[in-house]
Amino acid sequence: MTRFENVSVAKKANVYFDGKCISHSIELADGTAKSVGVILPSTLTFNTVEPEIMELIQGECRVTLAGETEAVTYRDSESFSVPGNSSFEIEVLTTLHYVCHYG
């Protein structure tokens, strides 16, 4: 799927890490919440409240989940899951376009 149809989009962007990560919150017609964004090359640590699936649209990154010692590389069209109440470190190697699926 390359598009989301019939969504509500928050006008104001979510800007994190001095602009290295910028996303917009969207809500699908069924009430499902997601965010769509871009992360510039950098190494960042994100904390989660609820479980997340990070779907990579374009780009490349290395991800280390909380409690893990080895980073895993992800590229275009791949995804990774992060448990709720956890964290992950992401090293973005090339500008990353993503969709974050919550819950």
Side-chain angles (χ1 to χ4, degrees), residues 8-101:
S8 296
V9 179
K11 287 183 180 180
K12 186 174 179 184
N14 307 304
V15 180
Y16 305 101
F17 303 105
D18 296 322
K20 292 181 181 91
C21 177
I22 300 173
S23 68
H24 282 274
S25 299
I26 66 171
E27 185 177 320
L28 303 181
D30 67 1
T32 303
K34 300 183 184 300
S35 63
V36 177
V38 173
I39 306 174
L40 300 176
S42 54
T43 300
L44 308 171
T45 300
F46 287 88
N47 296 305
T48 63
V49 174
E50 56 187 300
E52 299 180 3
I53 297 173
M54 290 287 289
E55 174 189 0
L56 308 184
I57 307 304
Q58 184 178 15
E60 182 176 9
C61 64
R62 294 175 43 80
V63 175
T64 307
L65 298 175
E68 299 292 326
T69 56
E70 295 293 321
V72 177
T73 300
Y74 296 94
R75 294 178 182 84
D76 304 1
S77 303
E78 297 182 323
S79 62
F80 62 91
S81 297
V82 184
N85 299 312
S86 188
S87 65
F88 64 98
E89 181 179 272
I90 186 167
E91 178 187 2
V92 177
L93 305 172
T94 60
T95 300
L96 191 68
H97 300 257
Y98 70 90
V99 176
C100 184
H101 306 268

